[in-house]
Amino acid sequence: MPEGKIIKALSGFYYVVNEGTVTQCRGRGVFRKNKITPLVGDDVVFQAENEQEGYIMEVKERKNELIRPPIANVDRAILVFSAVEPAFSPGLLDRFLVLVEYNSIEPIICITKTDLASEQEIERIEGYARDYRAAGYEVLLVSSETEAGIEQLFPHLEGKISVFAGQSGVGKSSLLNVLRPDLELKTNVISSHLGRGKHTTRHVELIEIGDGLVADTPGFSSLEFLEIEAEELTGCFPEIQKQSENCKFRGCLHVKEPKCAVKEAVETGTIPRYRYNNYLDFLQEIKDRKPRY
């Protein structure tokens, strides 16, 4: 039986691409019984009834899955943040980074609207960019208006499944328009949906950009740390994880423990203080979370 990838899910149908041909499939009844929901991004085995229709017979093992947006096997998250209008927010970026790291997705930080920023604002942004690059992240500074830096994005999309995510108004739709101009209508729908806050019901679809697939979706609609445990948070901050190997105690949470290598690294400036403060805030949020039964 042929294998393919689900590129769209809509009204109980799954659109599976195999060697350039798209087959509209239904899921087998046994999926419902076993509580398996095929997701966009899933690699599947399907049986074609004819040239247009078929049934999904098996969903292959996933490397990850997101609930909102509902998508599986994501390789990269392009985290889109603006230099200005709205102002760059490291606190919100760190929240996105934690969720992406926890789901084993590689983040690319993309800072837009550089053409609107003053010299002073660009200096501030470049300071943040240095910090994030030192932590091991790829940081791109771009402008959809002038198209400066846009070409840097294409190699990161090549051969991957990517999602674009970021707060409303940062220019995700403008960026997608520059990357693939014929998407104008779709991305306008995304931005207006975001503005009205109705985007949660929108279907997810994988679209070709360059040599990769990008999820045509408004991105993460939940930014709460519902699954992450306190001990797992360190692993979502690469520079804290690295320094924690030198901590005196195993299982150190880097808050009040004596001879904590992470706290020492904050004092010496090896770890930016704002990153550490965000770590502490997120840790408290996880500890204060109501238990789920």
Side-chain angles (χ1 to χ4, degrees):
M1 278 188 281
E3 295 187 10
K5 187 182 289 292
I6 298 175
I7 57 165
K8 182 167 76 170
L10 186 62
S11 305
F13 289 102
Y14 303 97
Y15 296 82
V16 179
V17 67
N18 167 266
E19 295 180 356
T21 302
V22 177
T23 305
Q24 178 182 286
C25 295
R26 286 195 178 277
R28 292 172 64 205
V30 71
F31 287 159
R32 255 195 312 276
K33 187 179 163 191
N34 295 337
K35 297 186 175 172
I36 296 170
T37 304
L39 294 174
V40 169
D42 270 333
D43 294 309
V44 298
V45 177
F46 69 102
Q47 187 173 39
E49 301 287 294
N50 53 50
E51 285 183 12
Q52 280 87 36
E53 297 173 308
Y55 282 90
I56 291 175
M57 308 304 288
E58 181 192 343
V59 175
K60 299 279 195 178
E61 191 177 346
R62 296 168 181 155
K63 73 174 185 180
N64 57 40
E65 64 182 272
L66 299 174
I67 307 301
R68 288 177 286 186
I71 186 170
N73 300 317
V74 177
D75 299 301
R76 297 235 162 103
I78 314 299
L79 302 181
V80 185
F81 278 71
S82 51
V84 291
E85 298 177 19
F88 180 74
S89 167
L92 189 58
L93 173 56
D94 286 349
R95 187 172 281 274
F96 273 97
L97 284 169
V98 165
L99 289 165
V100 165
E101 292 276 6
Y102 181 73
N103 284 288
S104 304
I105 299 168
E106 183 188 351
I108 306 291
I109 300 168
C110 184
I111 302 174
T112 60
K113 302 190 184 180
T114 52
D115 58 298
L116 299 179
S118 66
E119 273 183 45
Q120 196 177 353
E121 285 162 336
I122 287 291
E123 227 171 89
R124 175 174 165 264
I125 292 299
E126 284 178 342
Y128 282 123
R130 278 193 297 275
D131 291 343
Y132 284 102
R133 285 177 184 135
Y137 293 114
E138 186 78 40
V139 184
L140 310 178
L141 273 60
V142 307
S143 164
S144 299
E145 189 63 37
T146 66
E147 299 192 15
I150 295 288
E151 73 290 339
Q152 301 172 82
L153 261 171
F154 283 106
H156 295 296
L157 304 177
E158 202 170 318
K160 306 289 182 187
I161 292 181
S162 305
V163 294
F164 277 59
Q167 73 187 111
S168 180
V170 295
K172 292 189 295 296
S173 52
S174 303
L175 196 54
L176 283 164
N177 273 340
V178 176
L179 290 167
R180 191 175 146 177
D182 64 317
L183 289 178
E184 186 171 2
L185 181 64
K186 287 185 180 180
T187 52
N188 282 344
V189 170
I190 289 174
S191 63
S192 65
H193 273 203
L194 272 171
R196 293 199 301 269
K198 292 182 180 175
H199 59 278
T200 48
T201 54
R202 184 174 161 74
H203 76 275
V204 178
E205 184 173 351
L206 289 176
I207 52 175
E208 283 186 42
I209 292 184
D211 292 323
L213 293 169
V214 172
D216 180 14
T217 156
F220 299 83
S221 52
S222 172
L223 292 172
E224 295 171 6
F225 305 130
L226 299 177
E227 307 294 331
I228 305 172
E229 299 302 331
E231 311 73 54
E232 296 174 307
L233 186 61
T234 296
C236 300
F237 284 80
E239 70 275 51
I240 293 180
Q241 173 72 33
K242 186 180 173 187
Q243 293 296 331
S244 70
E245 291 164 14
N246 302 318
C247 282
K248 188 180 175 186
F249 295 105
R250 287 188 70 174
C252 178
L253 288 178
H254 326 298
V255 182
K256 294 175 182 167
E257 298 87 343
K259 295 198 176 174
C260 172
V262 169
K263 288 194 291 178
E264 286 172 11
V266 174
E267 292 306 319
T268 60
T270 307
I271 294 174
R273 189 168 291 277
Y274 66 88
R275 284 273 287 169
Y276 176 66
N277 288 342
N278 288 337
Y279 165 81
L280 293 180
D281 288 345
F282 300 163
L283 186 65
Q284 195 57 51
E285 188 178 321
I286 290 167
K287 287 178 175 177
D288 291 345
R289 188 175 62 203
K290 289 190 175 75
R292 291 182 301 157
Y293 300 103

